[in-house]
Amino acid sequence: MRAGGGLYARFLASLVLAVLAVLAVVAVVLHRQEVMRSEVLDLGRESMHALAFDRLAERSEAAAVETARGLVNPLYYFDLDEIGSLLRAALRQPDVAYALVYDNDGAVIHDGSRDIRTYGQVMDDPMAFEVVTARAPHIQASDEVLDVAVPLYIGDVRLGGLRLGYSLASVIDDERRATAGMGARLTAIGQRHAGWIATLMAGLVLLAVGLGMLVQRTLVRPVRELADAARQIEGGNFVAGMPDSRRSDEVGDLVRAFGRMRESIARHDRDMRRMAYTDALTGLGNRLAFREALDRRLMELHGAGRQLALLFADIDDFKRVNDTLGHDAGDEVLVQFANRISEQVDRLGGEGAVLARFGGDEFVILVESDVDASDPIREVAGHLAETLVAELSRPIVVGGRQVFLGTSIGVTVFPDDAVGATMLMKNGDIAMYQAKVAGKNCHRFYSRAMDQAVERRVRMEQDLRGAWERGELSLAYQPVYRLEDRRLVGAEALLRWQHPEYGAVAPSVFIDVAEQSGLIETIGPQVLRAACADAMQWRRDFPGCELFVSVNVSPRQLRNGDLATVVDEVLEDIGLPAACLHVELTETAVIGDELRVSSLLARLRDAGVKVWLDDFGTGFSGLSHLRRVPVDGVKIDRSFIADVLRDPDDLALTTAIIAMAHSLGITVVAEGVEKEGQYDVLRERGCDLAQGYWLGHPMTGHDFRGLLG
């Protein structure tokens, strides 16, 4: 039975609800019958009361009038004995409760008793006022008595009056007996009706039970058996038993169709499982196959005292291959990488090693310790990782071109790092990410400190999203001077982040996060537009100001290929002359893709934008590259400038860079000038421009405007 009730349960519930609805209707009918019975009894009681009261009133009034006639003369002569005699005769009549003769003021003259106990007392009961003021026979009633008052006249002179009280007790008793008889008869009639209703309800319940059994046998049971068979097929049992299919109705058609579907699924399952567990490009196992193998190994190793390691290998900068050579070339690179990894895993991974491609440019390797082996699993995994890094660093030939790629590998160990498959895979991914952060083309073992580092980096990435819109990101400007006359000629735009919780965040930290997460593709154009807008404002506010502004461009922006288009749009929107914008990029951004970068930079230079190489001398032995990459200037890295006064080698290298750059018509800028002596030496060697703390710290746009006034 399914949780929450199946078809049969729903049918029974509906049937029960229908029966309950009928019962509710019957209950309403019975209730209305009882209400009608009560109303009939009330109406009968009222009718009988009215009839008895009217008859008693007529009889009482006639008797009172007759008695009053006999009291006129005795009252006129004040014959108390005769009055008493007449009153006592009236009191002997049935149901008479009291008899009084009173004067015009309502004082009792005689009450029918021998000693006239109430003589002279004024009547003060609730009905006395109307009795005294009555000028004709007057009848009043309470719940217990019927009061009849008749005034006594001689001629037109009113002598007083007669008051007779008739008890209603006998009337009430008669009413009760009549009502009880009527109620008994109505109850008997209701019981006969209730018997018929109970019989009908019993028949309805029996009909409901019969319908339920019929539905259960002819519909619900076959459907439930089909559902049980479906669950077994879902679990991989394609020989599950089926209900009887010899029926000729719709249920039989459904059972036979289900049987044909089971056979079809069984035929296709074998082919689908083969496809589901194999990577179509490399022929290796895929993520699903690897996860099942890992789960199986972990179950076998629990409590066995053995270890295993996972190696997560990710190709560095693989997107560059697809972007520059095309996806076909990228597929060829993946196949060659898979072959190289497979060779090394077969050679060094040991028996039972498993290799799989997780998708994209990521491969995962499982190696297991041998009970008889003397080398711990960490040594085996570390040696394999080192070998893979070295082997995969060798160039790959694709389409007649050599492609240089590296591999970052993260290693995690069971059970030291985690005992579950999910956590192991997560830890391996974290370790691989740390290998990339460490500079790529290397391997790193997982450590618990990595979790905190990753968490901090993820938090920073989340906070960095929208930081520009929230006003947390701003630009600072470091002045650039011409060494010949120490004249201000421009400024480098530097991005700063004032975090609301952590304060100022180092650019080296958040710029790397923006680059790795891809946020730089959004922040970069915003920085470019803001810097150009400030430079244009300088020109408007300070006539004759021809300062340039230099903006750093990340390698990721270069790879996207739309940098030239973005620059053109910004310059056109703002109106800044192209010559006033200098674009800075690092040497490492050019390595390995000089042809495409050269084309991009040529478009910028043709538009009039100046292109500078930043941190020159740290990326590659690259003076020869200056002939192949179109640039307008180079910025000598601050590491050379720092020791130019005391290290002859740095001085000689700086001098050589200046001379060779000038021979190619390239401007030379020195970074990190922090001492007057450095400034003087660079000026003597013919360096063109310089920037550094000795010349000016990075400052806000407002402070920088102070240098222009």
Side-chain angles (χ1 to χ4, degrees):
M1 181 69 69
R2 295 180 57 183
L7 180 62
Y8 187 57
R10 295 178 184 177
F11 173 77
L12 287 181
S14 301
L15 203 58
V16 169
L17 289 176
V19 172
L20 291 177
V22 173
L23 287 175
V25 172
V26 172
V28 170
V29 171
L30 292 177
H31 174 70
R32 292 305 305 166
Q33 177 177 304
E34 181 62 26
V35 171
M36 290 176 62
R37 174 180 173 276
S38 299
E39 291 177 353
V40 168
L41 288 176
D42 291 340
L43 289 174
R45 185 183 302 110
E46 292 175 1
S47 299
M48 287 186 289
H49 179 78
L51 180 62
F53 184 84
D54 291 343
R55 290 181 178 178
L56 179 61
E58 292 177 0
R59 180 168 56 85
S60 301
E61 183 179 0
V65 169
E66 182 66 28
T67 304
R69 289 195 187 100
L71 287 172
V72 172
N73 287 329
L75 178 61
Y76 178 78
Y77 292 106
F78 207 71
D79 186 351
L80 294 180
D81 291 335
E82 182 62 20
I83 292 172
S85 175
L86 292 174
L87 290 181
R88 283 191 290 275
L91 287 171
R92 287 193 292 271
Q93 295 178 8
D95 299 325
V96 176
Y98 58 83
L100 300 175
V101 174
Y102 54 88
D103 61 19
N104 289 330
D105 295 327
V108 176
I109 296 175
H110 209 299
D111 58 8
S113 60
R114 297 291 182 181
D115 53 359
I116 314 177
R117 291 187 297 273
T118 60
Y119 181 80
Q121 295 182 7
V122 178
M123 297 181 296
D124 58 357
D125 59 275
M127 293 184 285
F129 176 77
E130 294 187 14
V131 168
V132 174
T133 59
R135 293 296 181 263
H138 181 72
I139 298 175
Q140 300 180 82
S142 65
D143 292 339
E144 298 176 352
V145 67
L146 176 69
D147 186 269
V148 181
V150 179
L152 301 178
Y153 288 93
I154 289 183
D156 294 331
V157 179
R158 187 174 185 272
L159 301 177
L162 169 66
R163 185 178 182 185
L164 296 179
Y166 290 86
S167 173
L168 298 178
S170 61
V171 174
I172 293 174
D173 289 342
D174 292 341
E175 290 177 1
R176 287 175 180 171
R177 285 192 296 272
T179 302
M182 183 182 298
R185 296 194 63 185
L186 290 175
T187 301
I189 294 172
Q191 288 175 349
R192 287 199 302 272
H193 290 170
W196 281 107
I197 292 174
T199 302
L200 291 176
M201 289 305 303
L204 180 62
V205 171
L206 291 176
L207 177 60
V209 172
L211 287 175
M213 295 177 63
L214 179 62
V215 171
Q216 160 69 13
R217 184 169 183 175
T218 60
L219 180 61
V220 174
R221 183 190 300 170
V223 171
R224 184 178 298 166
E225 291 175 351
L226 280 177
D228 293 339
R231 281 191 288 271
Q232 294 186 51
I233 293 173
E234 182 183 9
N237 179 17
F238 296 105
V239 294
M242 301 288 293
D244 185 9
S245 62
R246 291 174 295 179
R247 293 173 54 171
S248 59
D249 56 8
E250 290 82 355
V251 175
D253 293 339
L254 176 63
V255 171
R256 288 187 289 274
F258 195 88
R260 291 192 296 271
M261 182 182 67
R262 177 189 63 175
E263 295 172 0
S264 177
I265 292 175
R267 284 197 305 271
H268 292 294
D269 179 70
R270 294 183 292 271
D271 297 334
M272 292 175 61
R273 290 182 69 85
R274 283 195 299 269
M275 295 172 60
Y277 286 96
T278 304
D279 178 59
L281 178 63
T282 63
L284 300 175
N286 60 12
R287 180 188 294 267
L288 178 60
F290 184 86
R291 179 58 188 265
E292 290 190 3
L294 176 60
D295 290 337
R296 185 169 56 254
R297 293 290 179 88
L298 291 178
M299 291 180 62
E300 295 171 355
L301 293 182
H302 271 295
R306 296 169 63 187
Q307 296 179 309
L308 63 78
L310 298 184
L311 289 77
F312 281 69
D314 188 86
I315 303 175
D316 298 328
D317 300 320
F318 177 72
K319 186 176 183 296
R320 181 159 51 88
V321 177
N322 284 333
D323 292 342
T324 57
L325 302 179
H327 288 278
D328 290 340
D331 290 345
E332 177 62 26
V333 169
L334 289 173
V335 172
Q336 294 193 38
F337 258 78
N339 292 335
R340 291 187 183 184
I341 296 174
S342 183
E343 291 175 2
Q344 300 307 317
V345 170
D346 291 341
R347 187 170 66 89
L348 302 174
E351 185 178 356
V354 178
L355 169 63
R357 180 190 174 207
F358 262 32
D361 56 352
E362 188 174 5
F363 297 85
V364 183
I365 307 158
L366 182 153
V367 292
E368 186 178 338
S369 65
D370 194 340
V371 177
D372 300 327
S374 58
D375 296 333
I377 190 64
R378 286 185 177 272
E379 293 184 8
V380 174
H383 180 53
L384 177 58
E386 290 177 357
T387 303
L388 288 173
V389 169
E391 178 66 21
L392 300 177
S393 298
R394 294 191 297 108
I396 294 177
V397 178
V398 180
R401 295 184 56 179
Q402 283 191 337
V403 178
F404 292 86
L405 295 171
T407 303
S408 299
I409 300 178
V411 185
T412 183
V413 176
F414 166 87
D416 297 348
D417 300 331
V419 295
T422 300
M423 287 304 300
L424 274 174
M425 295 172 69
K426 175 187 174 184
N427 294 342
D429 206 40
I430 290 174
M432 182 268 290
Y433 176 77
Q434 291 300 314
K436 286 189 177 293
V437 172
K440 301 181 181 179
N441 202 33
C442 62
H443 77 278
R444 288 291 183 271
F445 277 88
Y446 169 80
S447 66
R448 300 197 183 279
M450 290 181 178
D451 281 334
Q452 299 176 355
V454 170
E455 184 177 350
R456 288 195 300 269
R457 193 175 185 91
V458 170
R459 172 69 184 278
M460 182 170 293
E461 178 183 336
Q462 293 173 344
D463 293 345
L464 191 56
R465 295 182 185 276
W468 183 275
E469 289 75 9
R470 295 192 299 271
E472 299 171 11
L473 293 175
S474 61
L475 293 183
Y477 294 96
Q478 185 170 29
V480 178
Y481 289 88
R482 188 165 57 203
L483 273 71
E484 180 181 4
D485 54 3
R486 197 172 173 180
R487 179 183 175 184
L488 179 65
V489 293
E492 179 181 4
L494 302 171
L495 188 61
R496 296 292 184 262
W497 185 14
Q498 186 67 27
H499 193 282
E501 182 178 352
Y502 306 126
V505 182
S508 60
V509 175
F510 75 82
I511 292 295
D512 181 61
V513 172
E515 177 75 20
Q516 293 291 334
S517 64
L519 289 173
I520 197 67
E521 297 179 13
T522 301
I523 297 174
Q526 294 171 329
V527 171
L528 176 66
R529 182 174 291 274
C532 290
D534 286 344
M536 189 62 193
Q537 194 63 42
W538 300 337
R539 294 172 64 86
R540 294 194 188 100
D541 296 344
F542 302 96
C545 176
E546 300 292 337
L547 297 185
F548 66 80
V549 62
S550 64
V551 179
N552 292 279
V553 175
S554 76
R556 193 162 189 141
Q557 290 175 274
L558 283 178
R559 288 196 298 269
N560 280 346
D562 61 348
L563 178 62
T565 303
V566 173
V567 170
D568 289 341
E569 292 176 353
V570 170
L571 293 178
E572 182 179 355
D573 292 345
I574 294 177
L576 182 70
C580 293
L581 174 62
H582 292 186
V583 173
E584 297 187 18
L585 61 151
T586 61
E587 290 182 283
T588 54
V590 182
I591 297 177
D593 198 8
E594 294 177 8
L595 181 61
R596 192 173 69 89
V597 172
S598 297
S599 175
L600 174 63
L601 298 184
R603 289 180 56 191
L604 291 174
R605 296 186 71 201
D606 291 343
V609 177
K610 304 295 183 183
V611 178
W612 287 0
L613 279 183
D614 197 9
D615 301 332
F616 190 78
T618 61
F620 52 86
S621 181
L623 288 175
S624 61
H625 287 266
L626 296 179
R627 296 196 306 270
R628 298 193 297 272
V629 179
V631 297
D632 300 285
V634 294
K635 300 183 75 170
I636 303 175
D637 188 70
R638 64 183 66 248
S639 62
F640 299 116
I641 304 302
D643 293 331
V644 75
L645 295 178
R646 61 177 181 270
D647 190 332
D649 292 337
D650 283 350
L651 178 59
L653 181 57
T654 301
T655 303
I657 292 175
I658 295 172
M660 296 188 69
H662 283 170
S663 69
L664 298 173
I666 295 175
T667 301
V668 181
V669 185
E671 294 183 290
V673 177
E674 300 181 355
K675 299 178 182 178
E676 184 177 5
Q678 295 170 343
Y679 181 90
D680 294 337
V681 167
L682 292 168
R683 184 176 58 183
E684 291 173 1
R685 295 301 189 276
C687 185
D688 301 299
L689 306 175
Q691 64 185 90
Y693 288 170
W694 187 74
L695 294 169
H697 287 258
M699 59 190 72
T700 64
H702 179 270
D703 293 340
F704 184 79
R705 291 171 61 88
L707 301 177
L708 306 178

